[in-house]
Amino acid sequence: MWRLRVCVTGLKLTPNAFSAATSKPESILRRLNSRADCCRLLCADVTRTGPRYMSTEPKRIRTDNMTGKKIGTHNGTFHCDEVLACFFLRQLPEYTDAEIIRTRDPAQLAECDIVVDVGGEFDPKRHRYDHHQRTFTETFHSLCPEKPWVTKLSSAGLVYLHFGRRLLTQLTQLKEDDRQLEVLYDKLYENFVEEVDAVDNGISQCEGEARYTVSTTLSARVGHLNPRWNSKSQDTEEGFRKALKMVGEEFIDRLDFYKSSWLPARTVVEEAVKQRHQIDPSGEVLLFSQGGCPWKEHLFALEKDLQVETPIKFVLYPDQNGQWRIQCVPAGLNTFQNRSRLPRHRLQTPGLLRQYPWGQCPQWADERSSAICIRSLSCPTVPCVSVQTKRTERLLNDL
């Protein structure tokens, strides 16, 4: 609703000259100025008093340096998948300064260089990446059989599948044929993008009713940036820009963590797995001589990748205080059950534990401090593993 406040002099009006409640202010002013009996218009104040409704005109998210490229997606309520897809594309050189056009108008979308999450078409050759058509059933595994994920793809997953390696190359400076880049590519889909795919397609994490609600996912937080149903303004452009910034920051932060922390830990664990027979001929013991690191997730993955036949049961490492610790390898990532254990009542078994004075340990005779030798529980004939320690009592208490 518009409110028009007009101050005039010498104005003579006839009935039905205008209706301020129904006419647009521009037409009212034209009629006022055009009438012969209007002597002088002194001032006019036009303000909006009623609700503002969302325009059907295409919305444009612009940058300062447009390249002429256009990314198309739908207008109205936005979701995490198309926001993330637009962020991914904006990281590529050809789309860095591309204009994001939010519309459902087929004519407008036809002019776009790439379209995501709208248009009812999946055609990588023409850069059309929608997943809403009834015939669409694609997953990462169906499009890339060497990958295991079978969650139905959203526009985020489609863009990541087709552009993800180039995206990571751009953000990490790793080469596309670098093995570490492929590891990051898989990890970021499994631990970031797949969740967005599943939420957008309405796929639950578990069967049956969930025991509690998770309401702080990235998709949920993006959804909260949409206008509320009873807000006076239903314009979604500001919220879309905020969402684009938020998902971008979170993806970059997650990528930085995996590249600078998670990936180096994997390298440490992989080296320990490859050298495990030098520590104990059974191959059941890992040694992290430089200290502990997050190892469980990497160990289970590397056992598959390296085709480790004999399960690894124990991990040895010095803690931050220089004390040596032993951890049993769990039976799986989400269980407290161990593959094997060191029960307290067996610690005094002859031959199981032996303490050597400094310089007399058969395997680490040149190392400082004393050593505890732990014989493999599953195979008593296996030579003992030497672990140097300053206080053997601390280690025994930790078992």
Side-chain angles (χ1 to χ4, degrees), residues 48-311:
R48 185 189 291 268
T49 60
R52 297 167 58 192
Y53 297 98
M54 183 178 63
S55 171
T56 58
E57 294 299 316
K59 304 295 185 178
R60 288 171 167 80
I61 306 298
R62 300 182 64 87
T63 63
D64 296 332
N65 225 345
M66 290 299 178
T67 61
K69 293 283 188 178
K70 295 179 181 180
I71 301 171
T73 190
H74 63 81
N75 58 357
T77 301
F78 51 84
H79 311 96
C80 190
D81 70 315
E82 79 265 16
V83 175
L84 186 58
C86 288
F87 168 78
F88 286 158
L89 292 172
R90 277 274 185 89
Q91 309 315 301
L92 302 175
E94 63 268 36
Y95 298 113
T96 297
D97 299 309
E99 183 179 8
I100 298 177
I101 297 180
R102 301 183 64 226
T103 182
R104 294 184 184 275
D105 182 359
Q108 293 281 342
L109 294 173
E111 297 177 358
C112 295
D113 299 276
I114 186 168
V115 176
V116 299
D117 209 45
V118 70
E121 184 180 7
F122 170 53
D123 185 356
K125 293 181 180 179
R126 297 179 55 248
H127 290 321
R128 296 302 187 258
Y129 300 97
D130 194 13
H131 66 109
H132 294 98
Q133 53 274 28
R134 292 184 178 181
T135 57
F136 184 89
T137 59
E138 302 294 356
T139 67
F140 225 106
H141 179 70
S142 68
L143 296 177
C144 298
E146 70 275 12
K147 302 299 182 183
W149 307 291
V150 293
T151 299
K152 181 182 175 181
L153 295 168
S154 69
S155 61
L158 284 171
V159 170
Y160 186 81
L161 185 149
H162 288 90
F163 297 94
R165 292 181 181 88
R166 287 185 56 214
L167 164 76
L168 297 181
T169 297
Q170 194 70 25
L171 296 176
T172 65
Q173 304 306 310
L174 294 172
K175 296 182 179 180
E176 282 198 49
D177 58 354
D178 192 316
R179 181 171 169 267
Q180 288 191 330
L181 186 131
E182 191 66 19
V183 173
L184 286 175
Y185 177 75
D186 290 351
K187 185 64 176 177
L188 281 160
Y189 180 75
E190 188 172 47
N191 286 266
F192 197 96
V193 182
E194 186 179 20
E195 171 191 328
V196 178
D197 286 344
V199 171
D200 195 76
N201 285 303
I203 302 172
S204 300
Q205 282 184 285
C206 57
E207 296 181 359
E209 186 177 354
R211 299 180 66 179
Y212 57 90
T213 300
V214 179
S215 59
T216 56
T217 64
L218 182 61
S219 295
R221 285 181 284 125
V222 167
H224 287 312
L225 293 175
N226 280 283
R228 298 172 183 175
W229 71 271
N230 55 353
S231 297
K232 290 184 178 180
S233 173
Q234 291 296 309
D235 188 6
T236 59
E237 296 312 300
E238 182 181 358
F240 186 88
R241 284 190 289 268
K242 289 181 179 179
L244 195 64
K245 183 175 184 292
M246 182 175 71
V247 300
E249 289 176 347
E250 293 211 16
F251 182 81
I252 294 296
D253 180 71
R254 189 71 62 87
L255 172 60
D256 179 69
F257 166 75
Y258 287 137
K259 182 176 183 291
S260 61
S261 179
W262 180 85
L263 205 54
R266 178 186 171 91
T267 301
V268 170
V269 177
E270 184 174 5
E271 189 65 22
V273 171
K274 291 179 178 179
Q275 296 183 359
R276 67 190 185 281
H277 290 287
Q278 299 178 25
I279 303 303
D280 188 274
S282 70
E284 297 177 349
V285 181
L286 292 189
L287 174 65
F288 301 136
S289 59
Q290 300 302 317
C293 67
W295 55 268
K296 295 179 183 178
E297 177 187 359
H298 296 301
L299 177 58
F300 293 123
L302 287 166
E303 282 182 328
K304 294 181 180 179
D305 293 346
L306 300 177
Q307 299 180 349
V308 175
E309 296 181 357
T310 303

Side-chain angles (χ1 to χ4, degrees), residues 2-18:
W2 292 90
R3 182 178 64 208
L4 177 68
R5 185 168 65 248
V6 182
C7 300
V8 298
T9 60
L11 178 64
K12 184 187 300 181
L13 297 177
T14 59
N16 299 323
F18 64 88

